[in-house]
Structures are given as structure tokens and as C-alpha cells.
Amino acid sequence: METKLASIKSDVQSLERRGSWGFPPLSAVILIKWLSTLVIGFFFVYPIIRLLLLSVETNQGWSGVHFAEVLRDQRTWLALDNTLWAVAGSTVLSLVIGVGLAWICAYTDIRGKGWIHLLALMPFIIPSYITTLAWTQLAGPTGLLNKWAAQLAGEHLVLWNVYGLDGIIVLMGLSHYPLVYLLTLAVLYRIPRDLEWAARSSGARQWQVFAKVTLPLALPGIAGGGLLAFVSSLDNFGIPAFLGIPEGISVISTLIYEQVAGFGPDAFSRAAVLSTLLGTVALAGSGLQWLIVRRAKADHTQSDDKSVRFSLGRRRIWVESLVWGFLLLTSIVPFFAMFHTALIRAYGLPFTPENVTLDNFWFVIAGNQSTKQAILNSLMLAGLTTLICVVVGTLLAYWRIKSRDTLAKGLEGAVSVPYALPGMVLGLAMILTWIEPLPGWSPGVYGTIWLILIAYVTRFLILQVKSSASTILQVHHEVEEAARINGAGRLARWRSVLLPLYLPGMLTGAFLVFLTSLSELTVSSLLWSSGAETIGVMIFSLEQAGSTVYSTAFSTLLVLLIGMAIAGGYWLRQRWERRGSHE
């Protein structure tokens, strides 16, 4: 025993002399740090700097002339006005729906909470442009809702037209309320029920308990969710592109797209100015949201309490009807309308047996070279992005957690910036950077599919870093140290000990990166070129060209693909958990 203890002590002293737990020698560490800093600085920070510089560069040097031109343009103020209305209105809608649904699920005895949770997350899982396309088939001028209303009225009647600013507000609110719901639900579970009981014992009514106890304690989570919904609405391109452009309504994100697509004089400089303004607001909102959520985490002292705190009594059936009616109307019915259109031989024909066909799906899968290429491109991009993010993101997360190095924290912050920026801003930054990354050096990446891959990795790497870091934190360093003392080398420790323990978190991040990359539209809409179309770009192009039956068929297939991926991920997780319980 004494010999063994002496051996362990010697090993520990050896580790201490090396300054870390199993890291390479000092010179190699310094080299890796320098290389990591250079690579991350070049791919994640340099594009933002190029974007900022372009907004102030002129032939005569640096000046604010581009800002002055953009701010004098009437279209800028019109787009800004539309953006403010859209973002403010949708955020309020997200707050009302998200907070109300979270309170009902957290505190009441409503039945089917698991299914409610799943349906509430659907707008978050399915890309917002797909949801928007589905809503146009339900509430467009010739959508099912207005057709039924006209049949009931016996005359032409448009009950509600989803195109326009009001449609943008409603669809953004419905797409982003899950963010408010998730953050509020987490906070509500951690509020001590003793405080609410004390208030009731003092004679307070239910609404007074909510207003004076629950709401103030849940405010950090609500504010964090609201700010996240605000930033997401600011970033959103798909909803205003589908509902605003056909009506001549621009917001800042679509105005940037129109500037770049227009290729006019100073188009990139004007787009850079708009991107700088939009990115500044988005980064400020993200920073404020991070501070609020951090404070919320610091304040809570209780573990999750998921017990029922409020019995609905006779009102339960009415509340359940209201909740299920809302979820079915917003999460299911629009997709049935989209599927309905995808089955019609030609847009506008009645849904009769002779007009029903599967040819639209065949056209998308095999009948058109562009759609086939888009599917292959998206699958390849999503696969490669996931692979790169899993390897690089996990290593960065490992370094960040194990070393507690200030440099590692800084690099993690640098990696998170592209995700906090609106996708349109990042897309423009990528164009400006990769046309000629350094003076006299043009690597030929601009205009190819590889630029989209670089943009995807830059934007989504932080998702993998966060997911891998969460699982690395749960594995104590003594586990790795025990393997090392027993003679396992670095590769053997990773292969036999660390990877099996880290795998659940790594797979969760990989799953998120894959799904997000597969359906991405905003960045791709700026970076695609002939032969480099993606699924999102192809659906957008088909819809803009008036080929609605094909765009709805393509969207239906994408929804099915996402559903299969989620089912596959759930199945793998169940198998993994069962395997863990047996071991």
C-alpha cells in the first residue's frame, strides 16, 4: 500500500511540475495556444473587422460619408420603422404566450404536459421560413382559411391576409415564444413554493400571489426570454422575406439583402453600414440577455420543484381546450394546409381526386437537377459542418473547462460573436473577407460552396462548444487521472474513458448543429451561387418564382426529414440510457 501511495504521490508531483492535468509539454502548449488564437482570430474576428472597416472606407480615406448617405435615404427610415414595429410587436406577443403557457405547465394540474411541451417547441425546431410558408397556405389570400370563410359567407371574403406587417408580427411572435416559454419555465420551477404559501396564508388572492411573489422572482427569466425573442426577431430574414417583400415592405435584414443582391454602386458599403447598425443592436441585446440570465442563475437557490401548485378544478377542461386549440392551430393546422397544397396538380385547383398527385414530390426529389443538387449540397454541408464542429468544438470546450485559462475564455467569447450577430450581417462579413482575405491573396473560395461551409462552421461552432462543455463539466478530472495512473496514454484515455463519458453531450450538440445547418436560409441566401444552392435557398427561390406547389412539396419533405432526425436522435438517446443503466 505504501508503495502504491508513493507512486501516486510521485505522479501527482510530476503533474504539478507540468502545470496541468495531462496537457502536452509547455512549449507545445504555447504553440497550440498561438495557433488557436491565430485561427480563431482569422475565421471569427477578422470578418467582423473587415465589415466595420468597409462601412467607413472611402477613396479618400476613412469617413462617415456612407453612414450619412444611408441615414439620408428614406428607405432606411421606412425599413427601420417597420423593423421596430415588427420586433416590438412580436416580442410582446412572444412574452404573453410564452409566460402564460409556462405558468400553466409549471404550476397547474393540466393534463398532457409532455405533449404540450413538445408542441410548444415545434416552432423553435422547424425553420421559421417553413412555418411562414405553411401559414401562407392557411391564411394567404387564397388560403384554406379564407376559402372556408368565403364559402360560409357565400361571397368573396378575406378573413385575414397573412401577407403584410401584421402577418410578420404574428408569425415572428409565434416562432419565438418558445424562447420565452423555456426560460420562464426553468425559473418558475425554481421559485420556492413556501413563499407563495406564506402569501396565501396572509390572505393574498391567487392573482395577488402571482403579481407580488411569482412575477418579481420570475422576472429575470422572463426578461431574458423576452430579450432573446427580441434579438431573434431582429435577426429573422425568412419571415419578412416571405411576407414583406411581395407587399413591398422592407425591414433592415431584407434591406441588406436587397442592397447586396442589387449590386449597385457602393452596394456593399451601404449594406456594411446597415449591418453595422443591426449588428450593434443585436450584440447589445445579446449581452444584456446574457447578464440577466446569469443573474437569474446566481439568484436561485432551490432545486427544480415540478409539483402542482394550483388546481384548476372545474376550469381545467376550459383551460385544456384553450391550450390544445391554440397549439393545434399554430403548430399542426398550417402544416396540413401546406401538405394540402403540395398534393395539388397546379396551384389554385380545387382539392378533388383528379387534381391530387405526388408528382410535385417526385419533381423535388428526382425530376429537377437544381433541387436534387440542393438536397445533396445541404446534406454535405450539414454533415461536414457537424463533423468539424464536433472535433473542434469539443477540443475547445475541453481546453476551456480543464485549463481555466483566460485565453481560452477569450477564444470562447470570440467564437460566440458570429452566432450573436444577425445571419445577414455574418453573410456580408464572409463575402467581404473571402473575396480577398489578404492583399494580393485570393484563395478562390468566394462564389463556391466552401464559403458556405466556412460560414456555417463559424456561425454554429459555439452550439457544439456549449453542449460539449456542459457534459465535460460533469466528469471530474479524477476519472481521467485514475486512467492515467493506470498506464493509459492520452489517446487511450480519450478513446476508452473520456469519449464514452462525453458522448451524450457531444451528440446533442452535433444533432443541433446538423439540423440548424440543414435548414439554414439567412446566410446561404447571400453566399449561394449556381451549383451551390441549399435547401433553404431553393425553397425561397421556388416561392419567389411562383412555383408554390414545388416549394410546399420541398418544405413538406424537409419537415419530414427533421421529424425523422428527431425520432432517430430520441431512439439513440433511449438506447444509450438503457445501455448505461444495464452497465
Side-chain angles (χ1 to χ4, degrees):
M1 175 63 86
E2 291 181 356
T3 306
K4 183 68 176 175
L5 289 174
S7 173
I8 293 174
K9 184 177 180 181
S10 173
D11 289 331
V12 171
Q13 288 173 344
S14 173
L15 281 169
E16 289 174 344
R17 282 196 299 274
R18 293 166 66 183
S20 63
W21 295 90
F23 275 86
L26 187 60
S27 58
V29 169
I30 293 175
L31 180 63
I32 291 172
K33 284 182 177 180
W34 272 106
L35 284 176
S36 303
T37 305
L38 285 174
V39 170
I40 290 178
F42 181 75
F43 281 93
F44 293 83
V45 180
Y46 182 58
I48 311 302
I49 295 174
R50 288 291 299 265
L51 178 70
L52 294 174
L53 289 178
L54 183 66
S55 67
V56 294
E57 273 181 353
T58 64
N59 293 331
Q60 290 76 37
W62 292 357
S63 77
V65 64
H66 297 311
F67 279 89
E69 286 178 3
V70 169
L71 293 177
R72 278 198 302 267
D73 192 339
Q74 189 61 32
R75 289 184 303 167
T76 303
W77 293 103
L78 193 57
L80 185 62
D81 187 50
N82 291 332
T83 303
L84 289 176
W85 278 107
V87 171
S90 62
T91 302
V92 171
L93 188 61
S94 296
L95 282 169
V96 172
I97 299 172
V99 173
L101 193 60
W103 185 85
I104 290 172
C105 284
Y107 285 173
T108 71
D109 55 350
I110 192 171
R111 291 168 289 193
K113 289 183 180 179
W115 287 105
I116 291 174
H117 191 69
L118 179 63
L119 287 176
L121 293 184
M122 276 191 66
F124 185 63
I125 297 169
I126 296 176
S128 61
Y129 65 89
I130 299 288
T131 305
T132 306
L133 188 58
W135 270 94
T136 61
Q137 304 312 306
L138 178 66
T142 57
L144 292 182
L145 179 68
N146 291 316
K147 279 184 181 177
W148 293 335
Q151 287 175 357
L152 287 175
E155 58 181 341
H156 178 71
L157 177 65
V158 177
L159 203 59
W160 182 50
N161 182 4
V162 73
Y163 288 96
L165 190 58
D166 55 338
I168 294 174
I169 292 172
V170 171
L171 265 293
M172 278 186 176
L174 292 178
S175 295
H176 301 141
Y177 85 80
L179 300 169
V180 180
Y181 166 78
L182 284 174
L183 287 181
T184 306
L185 193 69
V187 173
L188 288 177
Y189 280 143
R190 296 199 300 269
I191 294 177
R193 64 164 45 207
D194 298 348
L195 297 177
E196 296 171 337
W197 283 353
R200 287 198 196 96
S201 302
S202 301
R205 296 183 177 180
Q206 184 59 42
W207 69 268
Q208 290 175 316
V209 173
F210 177 79
K212 296 184 177 180
V213 178
T214 308
L215 188 59
L217 290 173
L219 204 53
I222 296 172
L227 273 170
L228 207 53
F230 174 86
V231 173
S232 299
S233 298
L234 202 63
D235 174 32
N236 198 293
F237 169 74
I239 294 175
F242 274 87
L243 301 182
I245 290 178
E247 297 292 311
I249 297 173
S250 294
V251 296
I252 295 294
S253 61
T254 56
L255 187 59
I256 295 172
Y257 172 79
E258 289 168 357
Q259 291 284 345
V260 175
F263 285 107
D266 296 329
F268 279 9
S269 298
R270 295 170 64 84
V273 171
L274 292 169
S275 299
T276 302
L277 297 174
L278 186 64
T280 303
V281 176
L283 283 178
S286 297
L288 190 58
Q289 187 268 341
W290 178 78
L291 285 174
I292 290 174
V293 172
R294 188 182 181 190
R295 182 180 174 186
K297 287 180 180 177
D299 286 345
H300 84 268
T301 54
Q302 300 292 318
S303 57
D304 285 357
D305 179 3
K306 298 184 179 179
S307 59
V308 174
R309 304 188 188 189
F310 181 78
S311 176
L312 292 171
R314 294 179 179 177
R315 291 167 291 187
R316 186 166 72 171
I317 187 66
W318 297 107
V319 175
E320 287 178 342
S321 301
L322 181 66
V323 170
W324 281 103
F326 166 77
L327 291 174
L328 291 175
L329 177 63
T330 57
S331 300
I332 301 294
V333 174
F335 295 99
F336 273 113
M338 184 174 74
F339 183 53
H340 164 275
T341 304
L343 290 173
I344 296 294
R345 195 174 301 281
Y347 190 68
L349 291 177
F351 193 79
T352 55
E354 60 271 17
N355 292 330
V356 173
T357 179
L358 294 176
D359 288 351
N360 301 328
F361 294 97
W362 177 252
F363 174 86
V364 169
I365 296 172
N368 182 273
Q369 184 58 35
S370 297
T371 55
K372 281 195 299 183
Q373 189 63 48
I375 294 172
L376 292 175
N377 287 342
S378 286
L379 287 174
M380 185 199 73
L381 285 169
L384 285 177
T385 303
T386 304
L387 183 62
I388 296 171
C389 286
V390 165
V391 175
V392 178
T394 302
L395 289 176
L396 182 57
Y398 182 82
W399 179 19
R400 164 75 177 84
I401 299 299
K402 295 297 181 181
S403 71
R404 305 284 181 186
D405 196 333
T406 305
L407 178 61
K409 291 180 183 176
L411 294 182
E412 185 189 21
V415 166
S416 66
V417 171
Y419 192 74
L421 285 172
M424 198 56 65
V425 177
L426 179 66
L428 182 60
M430 286 288 143
I431 292 174
L432 299 176
T433 300
W434 288 96
I435 288 178
E436 191 178 69
L438 297 173
W441 179 50
S442 179
V445 174
Y446 176 68
T448 68
I449 197 169
W450 305 116
L451 181 54
I452 302 179
L453 177 65
I454 293 171
Y456 282 6
V457 172
T458 306
R459 186 159 173 79
F460 302 132
L461 180 63
I462 189 63
L463 299 177
Q464 185 66 51
V465 172
K466 293 292 185 186
S467 183
S468 295
S470 66
T471 196
I472 292 172
L473 272 172
Q474 296 171 12
V475 179
H476 295 290
H477 67 80
E478 287 86 352
V479 175
E480 183 181 356
E481 180 54 21
R484 196 199 65 78
I485 290 174
N486 281 285
R490 186 173 296 111
L491 288 178
R493 293 201 298 272
W494 270 91
R495 185 179 62 250
S496 305
V497 179
L498 298 181
L499 275 181
L501 294 172
Y502 295 164
L503 202 56
M506 290 170 62
L507 288 179
T508 302
F511 183 69
L512 196 56
V513 171
F514 182 83
L515 278 186
T516 313
S517 305
L518 186 68
S519 56
E520 207 283 334
L521 169 63
T522 309
V523 174
S524 313
S525 66
L526 279 185
L527 302 183
W528 75 279
S529 57
S530 179
E533 299 91 344
T534 63
I535 289 177
V537 168
M538 206 64 221
I539 290 173
F540 181 60
S541 301
L542 287 170
E543 183 62 17
Q544 293 294 303
S547 303
T548 303
V549 289
Y550 297 137
S551 64
T552 52
F554 212 162
S555 301
T556 303
L557 289 174
L558 184 57
V559 171
L560 291 175
L561 197 60
I562 292 173
M564 289 168 60
I566 292 173
Y570 180 76
W571 179 75
L572 282 175
R573 187 181 181 87
Q574 292 293 314
R575 278 182 61 86
W576 184 266
E577 289 177 352
R578 279 201 296 270
R579 182 183 169 187
S581 63
H582 289 321
E583 290 175 351

Short mmCIF file of all heavy atoms in Angstrom, two decimals, residues 469-511:
data_model
loop_
_atom_site.label_atom_id
_atom_site.label_comp_id
_atom_site.label_asym_id
_atom_site.label_seq_id
_atom_site.Cartn_x
_atom_site.Cartn_y
_atom_site.Cartn_z
N ALA A 469 -19.21 21.40 -23.48
CA ALA A 469 -18.75 21.92 -22.18
C ALA A 469 -19.67 21.48 -21.06
O ALA A 469 -19.21 21.17 -19.95
CB ALA A 469 -18.67 23.44 -22.24
N SER A 470 -20.97 21.43 -21.34
CA SER A 470 -21.92 21.04 -20.28
C SER A 470 -21.68 19.62 -19.81
O SER A 470 -21.82 19.31 -18.62
CB SER A 470 -23.36 21.20 -20.78
OG SER A 470 -23.61 20.28 -21.83
N THR A 471 -21.29 18.72 -20.72
CA THR A 471 -21.05 17.33 -20.30
C THR A 471 -19.64 17.15 -19.75
O THR A 471 -19.41 16.32 -18.87
CB THR A 471 -21.31 16.38 -21.50
OG1 THR A 471 -21.45 15.07 -21.03
CG2 THR A 471 -20.21 16.42 -22.51
N ILE A 472 -18.67 17.93 -20.24
CA ILE A 472 -17.30 17.84 -19.69
C ILE A 472 -17.27 18.29 -18.24
O ILE A 472 -16.56 17.73 -17.40
CB ILE A 472 -16.33 18.68 -20.56
CG1 ILE A 472 -16.18 18.04 -21.94
CG2 ILE A 472 -14.97 18.82 -19.90
CD1 ILE A 472 -15.41 18.88 -22.94
N LEU A 473 -18.10 19.30 -17.92
CA LEU A 473 -18.17 19.80 -16.54
C LEU A 473 -18.63 18.71 -15.56
O LEU A 473 -18.27 18.73 -14.39
CB LEU A 473 -19.13 20.99 -16.48
CG LEU A 473 -18.54 22.38 -16.75
CD1 LEU A 473 -19.65 23.40 -16.85
CD2 LEU A 473 -17.56 22.76 -15.65
N GLN A 474 -19.43 17.78 -16.06
CA GLN A 474 -20.00 16.76 -15.17
C GLN A 474 -19.03 15.61 -14.89
O GLN A 474 -19.31 14.77 -14.04
CB GLN A 474 -21.28 16.21 -15.79
CG GLN A 474 -22.37 17.27 -15.93
CD GLN A 474 -23.55 16.76 -16.73
OE1 GLN A 474 -23.66 15.58 -16.99
NE2 GLN A 474 -24.44 17.67 -17.11
N VAL A 475 -17.92 15.54 -15.62
CA VAL A 475 -16.95 14.45 -15.43
C VAL A 475 -15.75 15.01 -14.67
O VAL A 475 -15.02 15.86 -15.19
CB VAL A 475 -16.50 13.88 -16.80
CG1 VAL A 475 -15.48 12.77 -16.59
CG2 VAL A 475 -17.70 13.37 -17.57
N HIS A 476 -15.54 14.56 -13.45
CA HIS A 476 -14.44 15.08 -12.63
C HIS A 476 -13.09 14.64 -13.18
O HIS A 476 -12.95 13.58 -13.78
CB HIS A 476 -14.59 14.58 -11.19
CG HIS A 476 -15.82 15.12 -10.52
ND1 HIS A 476 -15.94 16.44 -10.15
CD2 HIS A 476 -16.99 14.53 -10.18
CE1 HIS A 476 -17.13 16.65 -9.60
NE2 HIS A 476 -17.78 15.50 -9.60
N HIS A 477 -12.08 15.48 -12.95
CA HIS A 477 -10.76 15.19 -13.50
C HIS A 477 -10.13 13.96 -12.87
O HIS A 477 -9.20 13.37 -13.42
CB HIS A 477 -9.85 16.41 -13.36
CG HIS A 477 -9.49 16.75 -11.94
ND1 HIS A 477 -8.52 16.09 -11.25
CD2 HIS A 477 -10.01 17.67 -11.09
CE1 HIS A 477 -8.43 16.58 -10.03
NE2 HIS A 477 -9.32 17.54 -9.90
N GLU A 478 -10.65 13.53 -11.68
CA GLU A 478 -10.09 12.34 -11.05
C GLU A 478 -10.30 11.11 -11.92
O GLU A 478 -9.49 10.16 -11.88
CB GLU A 478 -10.75 12.08 -9.68
CG GLU A 478 -10.34 13.05 -8.59
CD GLU A 478 -11.19 14.30 -8.59
OE1 GLU A 478 -11.98 14.46 -9.54
OE2 GLU A 478 -11.04 15.14 -7.67
N VAL A 479 -11.36 11.10 -12.72
CA VAL A 479 -11.61 9.95 -13.60
C VAL A 479 -10.49 9.82 -14.62
O VAL A 479 -9.93 8.74 -14.84
CB VAL A 479 -12.98 10.13 -14.31
CG1 VAL A 479 -13.20 8.99 -15.31
CG2 VAL A 479 -14.11 10.19 -13.30
N GLU A 480 -10.15 10.93 -15.25
CA GLU A 480 -9.07 10.92 -16.23
C GLU A 480 -7.74 10.62 -15.56
O GLU A 480 -6.91 9.89 -16.11
CB GLU A 480 -9.02 12.27 -16.94
CG GLU A 480 -7.97 12.32 -18.03
CD GLU A 480 -7.91 13.69 -18.71
OE1 GLU A 480 -8.74 14.56 -18.37
OE2 GLU A 480 -7.04 13.88 -19.58
N GLU A 481 -7.56 11.16 -14.36
CA GLU A 481 -6.31 10.95 -13.65
C GLU A 481 -6.13 9.49 -13.25
O GLU A 481 -5.02 8.94 -13.34
CB GLU A 481 -6.27 11.85 -12.41
CG GLU A 481 -5.02 11.75 -11.58
CD GLU A 481 -3.75 11.98 -12.40
OE1 GLU A 481 -3.83 12.57 -13.49
OE2 GLU A 481 -2.70 11.50 -11.97
N ALA A 482 -7.23 8.85 -12.84
CA ALA A 482 -7.14 7.43 -12.48
C ALA A 482 -6.72 6.59 -13.69
O ALA A 482 -5.90 5.66 -13.56
CB ALA A 482 -8.50 6.96 -11.96
N ALA A 483 -7.26 6.94 -14.87
CA ALA A 483 -6.88 6.21 -16.09
C ALA A 483 -5.40 6.43 -16.40
O ALA A 483 -4.69 5.51 -16.80
CB ALA A 483 -7.75 6.66 -17.25
N ARG A 484 -4.95 7.66 -16.20
CA ARG A 484 -3.54 7.94 -16.49
C ARG A 484 -2.61 7.19 -15.54
O ARG A 484 -1.60 6.63 -15.94
CB ARG A 484 -3.29 9.46 -16.38
CG ARG A 484 -1.98 9.92 -17.01
CD ARG A 484 -1.59 11.27 -16.49
NE ARG A 484 -1.30 11.22 -15.06
CZ ARG A 484 -0.17 10.76 -14.55
NH1 ARG A 484 0.78 10.29 -15.34
NH2 ARG A 484 0.03 10.72 -13.24
N ILE A 485 -2.99 7.14 -14.25
CA ILE A 485 -2.15 6.44 -13.25
C ILE A 485 -2.07 4.95 -13.57
O ILE A 485 -1.07 4.30 -13.34
CB ILE A 485 -2.72 6.68 -11.84
CG1 ILE A 485 -2.49 8.14 -11.44
CG2 ILE A 485 -2.10 5.75 -10.83
CD1 ILE A 485 -3.14 8.53 -10.14
N ASN A 486 -3.16 4.44 -14.18
CA ASN A 486 -3.17 3.02 -14.53
C ASN A 486 -2.48 2.75 -15.87
O ASN A 486 -2.63 1.67 -16.44
CB ASN A 486 -4.60 2.50 -14.56
CG ASN A 486 -5.12 2.22 -13.16
OD1 ASN A 486 -4.77 1.24 -12.54
ND2 ASN A 486 -5.94 3.14 -12.65
N GLY A 487 -1.79 3.72 -16.39
CA GLY A 487 -0.95 3.48 -17.57
C GLY A 487 -1.55 3.86 -18.90
O GLY A 487 -0.92 3.62 -19.94
N ALA A 488 -2.75 4.45 -18.92
CA ALA A 488 -3.38 4.80 -20.19
C ALA A 488 -2.74 6.07 -20.75
O ALA A 488 -2.61 7.07 -20.04
CB ALA A 488 -4.88 5.01 -20.00
N GLY A 489 -2.33 6.03 -22.02
CA GLY A 489 -1.80 7.21 -22.67
C GLY A 489 -2.92 8.18 -23.02
O GLY A 489 -4.10 7.93 -22.76
N ARG A 490 -2.54 9.33 -23.65
CA ARG A 490 -3.55 10.36 -23.93
C ARG A 490 -4.64 9.84 -24.87
O ARG A 490 -5.82 10.02 -24.63
CB ARG A 490 -2.87 11.60 -24.51
CG ARG A 490 -3.83 12.77 -24.69
CD ARG A 490 -3.13 14.04 -25.09
NE ARG A 490 -2.22 14.47 -24.02
CZ ARG A 490 -0.91 14.45 -24.10
NH1 ARG A 490 -0.33 14.02 -25.20
NH2 ARG A 490 -0.17 14.85 -23.09
N LEU A 491 -4.20 9.16 -25.96
CA LEU A 491 -5.17 8.63 -26.90
C LEU A 491 -6.05 7.57 -26.28
O LEU A 491 -7.26 7.52 -26.51
CB LEU A 491 -4.46 8.08 -28.14
CG LEU A 491 -3.84 9.12 -29.08
CD1 LEU A 491 -3.11 8.42 -30.23
CD2 LEU A 491 -4.94 10.03 -29.63
N ALA A 492 -5.42 6.70 -25.48
CA ALA A 492 -6.18 5.63 -24.82
C ALA A 492 -7.19 6.22 -23.83
O ALA A 492 -8.33 5.73 -23.71
CB ALA A 492 -5.24 4.68 -24.10
N ARG A 493 -6.81 7.29 -23.12
CA ARG A 493 -7.74 7.92 -22.18
C ARG A 493 -8.95 8.50 -22.92
O ARG A 493 -10.09 8.36 -22.49
CB ARG A 493 -7.02 9.03 -21.39
CG ARG A 493 -5.97 8.54 -20.45
CD ARG A 493 -5.66 9.58 -19.36
NE ARG A 493 -5.14 10.81 -19.91
CZ ARG A 493 -3.85 11.05 -20.15
NH1 ARG A 493 -2.96 10.10 -19.93
NH2 ARG A 493 -3.46 12.22 -20.60
N TRP A 494 -8.67 9.15 -24.04
CA TRP A 494 -9.79 9.73 -24.80
C TRP A 494 -10.69 8.63 -25.38
O TRP A 494 -11.91 8.73 -25.31
CB TRP A 494 -9.25 10.62 -25.93
CG TRP A 494 -9.06 12.03 -25.50
CD1 TRP A 494 -7.93 12.59 -24.98
CD2 TRP A 494 -10.05 13.08 -25.52
NE1 TRP A 494 -8.14 13.91 -24.68
CE2 TRP A 494 -9.43 14.25 -25.00
CE3 TRP A 494 -11.37 13.15 -25.91
CZ2 TRP A 494 -10.10 15.46 -24.87
CZ3 TRP A 494 -12.05 14.36 -25.80
CH2 TRP A 494 -11.42 15.49 -25.28
N ARG A 495 -10.05 7.58 -25.94
CA ARG A 495 -10.83 6.54 -26.61
C ARG A 495 -11.63 5.69 -25.61
O ARG A 495 -12.81 5.41 -25.85
CB ARG A 495 -9.89 5.63 -27.41
CG ARG A 495 -10.61 4.59 -28.25
CD ARG A 495 -9.65 3.74 -29.06
NE ARG A 495 -8.75 2.97 -28.21
CZ ARG A 495 -7.45 3.21 -28.10
NH1 ARG A 495 -6.89 4.18 -28.78
NH2 ARG A 495 -6.68 2.47 -27.30
N SER A 496 -11.02 5.32 -24.50
CA SER A 496 -11.66 4.35 -23.59
C SER A 496 -12.40 4.99 -22.43
O SER A 496 -13.28 4.36 -21.84
CB SER A 496 -10.59 3.38 -23.04
OG SER A 496 -9.89 2.77 -24.09
N VAL A 497 -12.02 6.21 -22.04
CA VAL A 497 -12.61 6.81 -20.83
C VAL A 497 -13.42 8.07 -21.15
O VAL A 497 -14.61 8.16 -20.84
CB VAL A 497 -11.51 7.14 -19.80
CG1 VAL A 497 -12.11 7.78 -18.55
CG2 VAL A 497 -10.73 5.88 -19.43
N LEU A 498 -12.76 9.05 -21.76
CA LEU A 498 -13.40 10.36 -21.91
C LEU A 498 -14.51 10.36 -22.96
O LEU A 498 -15.60 10.87 -22.71
CB LEU A 498 -12.33 11.42 -22.25
CG LEU A 498 -11.25 11.62 -21.19
CD1 LEU A 498 -10.27 12.69 -21.61
CD2 LEU A 498 -11.88 12.00 -19.84
N LEU A 499 -14.21 9.81 -24.14
CA LEU A 499 -15.23 9.86 -25.20
C LEU A 499 -16.54 9.19 -24.80
O LEU A 499 -17.62 9.76 -25.02
CB LEU A 499 -14.69 9.25 -26.50
CG LEU A 499 -13.88 10.19 -27.40
CD1 LEU A 499 -13.42 9.46 -28.65
CD2 LEU A 499 -14.72 11.40 -27.78
N PRO A 500 -16.52 8.00 -24.20
CA PRO A 500 -17.80 7.40 -23.78
C PRO A 500 -18.56 8.27 -22.79
O PRO A 500 -19.80 8.30 -22.81
CB PRO A 500 -17.38 6.07 -23.14
CG PRO A 500 -16.07 5.75 -23.77
CD PRO A 500 -15.40 7.06 -23.99
N LEU A 501 -17.82 9.00 -21.92
CA LEU A 501 -18.50 9.85 -20.94
C LEU A 501 -18.99 11.16 -21.56
O LEU A 501 -20.03 11.69 -21.18
CB LEU A 501 -17.55 10.15 -19.77
CG LEU A 501 -17.15 8.94 -18.91
CD1 LEU A 501 -16.06 9.32 -17.94
CD2 LEU A 501 -18.37 8.41 -18.15
N TYR A 502 -18.22 11.68 -22.51
CA TYR A 502 -18.60 12.95 -23.14
C TYR A 502 -19.63 12.77 -24.26
O TYR A 502 -20.23 13.76 -24.69
CB TYR A 502 -17.36 13.62 -23.76
CG TYR A 502 -16.30 14.05 -22.78
CD1 TYR A 502 -15.01 14.35 -23.21
CD2 TYR A 502 -16.58 14.18 -21.42
CE1 TYR A 502 -14.04 14.75 -22.31
CE2 TYR A 502 -15.60 14.58 -20.52
CZ TYR A 502 -14.33 14.86 -20.97
OH TYR A 502 -13.36 15.26 -20.08
N LEU A 503 -19.81 11.55 -24.71
CA LEU A 503 -20.58 11.32 -25.94
C LEU A 503 -22.01 11.88 -25.91
O LEU A 503 -22.46 12.47 -26.90
CB LEU A 503 -20.61 9.81 -26.26
CG LEU A 503 -20.90 9.48 -27.73
CD1 LEU A 503 -19.90 10.16 -28.64
CD2 LEU A 503 -20.88 7.98 -27.95
N PRO A 504 -22.78 11.72 -24.81
CA PRO A 504 -24.15 12.27 -24.84
C PRO A 504 -24.20 13.76 -25.15
O PRO A 504 -24.98 14.20 -25.99
CB PRO A 504 -24.67 11.97 -23.42
CG PRO A 504 -23.88 10.80 -22.97
CD PRO A 504 -22.52 10.99 -23.56
N GLY A 505 -23.34 14.55 -24.49
CA GLY A 505 -23.33 15.99 -24.75
C GLY A 505 -22.82 16.31 -26.14
O GLY A 505 -23.32 17.21 -26.80
N MET A 506 -21.83 15.54 -26.60
CA MET A 506 -21.31 15.77 -27.95
C MET A 506 -22.38 15.48 -29.00
O MET A 506 -22.53 16.22 -29.98
CB MET A 506 -20.09 14.88 -28.19
CG MET A 506 -18.86 15.27 -27.39
SD MET A 506 -17.54 14.03 -27.46
CE MET A 506 -17.18 14.02 -29.20
N LEU A 507 -23.13 14.39 -28.79
CA LEU A 507 -24.17 14.04 -29.76
C LEU A 507 -25.31 15.07 -29.76
O LEU A 507 -25.88 15.37 -30.81
CB LEU A 507 -24.73 12.65 -29.46
CG LEU A 507 -23.79 11.48 -29.79
CD1 LEU A 507 -24.43 10.16 -29.42
CD2 LEU A 507 -23.42 11.49 -31.27
N THR A 508 -25.64 15.59 -28.58
CA THR A 508 -26.69 16.62 -28.51
C THR A 508 -26.28 17.85 -29.32
O THR A 508 -27.06 18.39 -30.11
CB THR A 508 -26.95 17.02 -27.05
OG1 THR A 508 -27.34 15.85 -26.31
CG2 THR A 508 -28.05 18.07 -26.96
N GLY A 509 -25.03 18.28 -29.13
CA GLY A 509 -24.53 19.43 -29.90
C GLY A 509 -24.48 19.12 -31.38
O GLY A 509 -24.86 19.96 -32.21
N ALA A 510 -24.01 17.92 -31.73
CA ALA A 510 -23.92 17.54 -33.15
C ALA A 510 -25.30 17.53 -33.80
O ALA A 510 -25.48 17.97 -34.94
CB ALA A 510 -23.27 16.16 -33.27
N PHE A 511 -26.27 17.03 -33.06
CA PHE A 511 -27.65 16.97 -33.56
C PHE A 511 -28.18 18.39 -33.83
O PHE A 511 -28.78 18.66 -34.87
CB PHE A 511 -28.50 16.27 -32.49
CG PHE A 511 -29.92 16.07 -32.88
CD1 PHE A 511 -30.27 15.18 -33.87
CD2 PHE A 511 -30.92 16.78 -32.23
CE1 PHE A 511 -31.59 15.01 -34.22
CE2 PHE A 511 -32.23 16.61 -32.58
CZ PHE A 511 -32.58 15.72 -33.57
#
